[in-house]
Amino acid sequence: MNDDEIRALFEEMREEAVPADSLARLRMAVASGTQPSRRKWWWAAFAIAAACCGIALLAVLFRPALPIPPAPAPIAARQMPPEVPMVSPGAPVAPVAAPKMRRVVHRVPVAPPPRLPGTVVRIETNDPNVVILLVG
Amino acid sequence: MQPAELMFDLPRTLSGSFDDVVRQRETQVLRTAFRILGNWADAEEVAQEVFLRLYRHGLGFPTEAAMGSWIYRVTVNLCVDRSRRPRASQDVPDLRDPRASPEASAIREQRKQQLMQALSTLPVKERAAVVLREIEGLSTAEVAAILGSREVTVRSQISNAFGRLRAILKREDL
């Protein structure tokens, strides 16, 4: 094969068609890579997602401290009800008879009023500071 | 004005939308990438990247020719970068195995495939020069402007490439 034959073959190749499926794939790839609306929506969605993540992170980091509840009273100081002894179920316990207590009456001797030597007549006047006593 | 900008005399569509430019250039970019890489999957990825870069760059080219030159330059640079990576698959069949192209009854088609197989063995810079000059039909000045080299270098690369292609095809014929 000489140079002229090679050149003739190359010229025939110039007229050869490109496979239709290759062209279709190329058009789709170029269209998907250069469609501005899709790219904008994709970036917008990405920006919104990133903003949400950032806000959540900040909320976790700068969460306000909760008020500290007062410390509970010590257990020993609490008013606890008296413990009731556990009684195992069994035979009924007979009631214990309380001992009878005698009432003790303390008699205090009452001294008789002192006797005055004679009869005393007490006369009260209108003036409360003036009392007339008649002894005799 | 660059020599390459004198060419690519397509009707001016700079006022058109980006989609119009894609429709107008997609076949050219995809075919060029495939001829350099020998792989449709890689060619699609390169073409996609070319148009995404064009989208980011904008359509503010002074002339249609300037845009065409820019697109070719980006395509070739991306193909050179990609050709340095190991390729997962090769769409060009290995003609040393006769079972690889059983349906290639026409001798002409078989010759084309042999030529593409031989082209894929060239260094990527030589391959790009041959594809742009011989398949895309650009002038030597345009190819030099796109590859960022001198016209003498391009002529030398193409001459070397043809010598290697002849040798490979002669070996295949034997």
Side-chain angles (χ1 to χ4, degrees):
Chain A
M1 193 183 290
N2 57 28
D3 287 359
D4 289 339
E5 288 174 330
I6 293 175
R7 284 204 167 89
L9 288 175
F10 278 143
E11 284 182 17
E12 286 182 18
M13 290 180 193
R14 193 182 305 171
E15 306 302 327
E16 284 178 354
V18 171
D21 56 339
S22 289
L23 271 181
R25 279 195 295 269
L26 174 63
R27 286 174 185 170
M28 285 178 61
V30 172
S32 66
T34 59
Q35 223 163 29
S37 58
R38 281 188 191 171
R39 292 165 74 92
K40 280 181 187 173
W41 278 112
W42 190 89
W43 277 108
F46 178 78
I48 290 171
C52 290
C53 290
I55 290 171
L57 187 65
L58 289 176
V60 169
L61 289 178
F62 297 101
R63 184 171 50 189
L66 293 175
I68 300 174
I75 294 174
R78 289 185 189 169
Q79 294 294 330
M80 300 294 288
E83 288 189 3
V84 178
M86 297 292 290
V87 177
S88 60
V93 179
V96 178
K100 289 184 178 178
M101 301 295 289
R102 282 189 176 182
R103 178 171 290 178
V104 177
V105 179
H106 298 279
R107 297 180 185 270
V108 179
V110 179
R115 288 195 173 187
L116 294 175
T119 302
V120 176
V121 177
R122 179 186 174 97
I123 299 171
E124 293 184 354
T125 63
N126 292 333
D127 189 355
N129 294 326
V130 178
V131 176
I132 299 170
L133 292 178
L134 298 177
V135 178
Chain B
M1 186 179 285
Q2 294 284 331
E5 295 178 6
L6 297 172
M7 314 310 264
F8 313 108
D9 286 332
L10 295 171
R12 282 179 62 87
T13 58
L14 294 183
S15 58
S17 67
F18 176 76
D19 290 340
D20 295 336
V21 175
V22 172
R23 289 285 188 277
Q24 196 176 24
R25 300 281 182 174
E26 60 189 1
T27 305
Q28 163 203 321
V29 173
L30 202 51
R31 187 179 56 215
T32 304
F34 171 69
R35 296 301 180 200
I36 295 175
L37 296 171
N39 183 302
W40 282 114
D42 288 349
E44 286 172 23
E45 289 184 16
V46 164
Q48 178 189 350
E49 182 63 26
V50 168
F51 287 118
L52 291 181
R53 288 191 185 190
L54 178 64
Y55 181 79
R56 287 194 290 265
H57 180 279
L59 301 179
F61 295 96
T63 61
E64 186 75 22
M67 185 169 69
S69 179
W70 186 93
I71 289 175
Y72 267 126
R73 189 162 55 248
V74 173
T75 304
V76 170
N77 288 339
L78 289 173
C79 287
V80 170
D81 289 343
R82 187 161 286 265
S83 67
R84 289 175 182 150
R85 299 184 212 163
R87 268 179 283 185
S89 65
Q90 181 70 262
D91 287 353
V92 179
D94 184 3
L95 296 178
R96 298 182 184 201
D97 182 2
R99 291 170 301 176
S101 59
E103 70 278 358
S105 57
I107 297 175
R108 197 104 182 136
E109 286 301 315
Q110 193 173 3
R111 288 281 186 170
K112 277 188 200 172
Q113 291 188 2
Q114 284 177 331
L115 184 56
M116 282 303 296
Q117 177 68 29
L119 188 65
S120 68
T121 63
L122 298 181
V124 66
K125 285 277 188 180
E126 285 186 10
R127 207 184 316 154
V130 169
V131 168
L132 293 176
R133 179 75 182 85
E134 303 297 334
I135 298 180
E136 292 299 312
L138 305 182
S139 70
T140 306
E142 290 171 319
V143 177
I146 290 168
L147 297 180
S149 55
R150 295 183 301 167
E151 291 186 39
V152 177
T153 308
V154 172
R155 285 198 194 95
S156 172
Q157 285 175 327
I158 291 176
S159 175
N160 290 338
F162 268 74
R164 293 188 196 197
L165 291 174
R166 277 197 311 271
I168 293 170
L169 294 172
K170 187 177 180 182
R171 219 169 35 234
E172 295 287 340
D173 285 342
L174 292 177

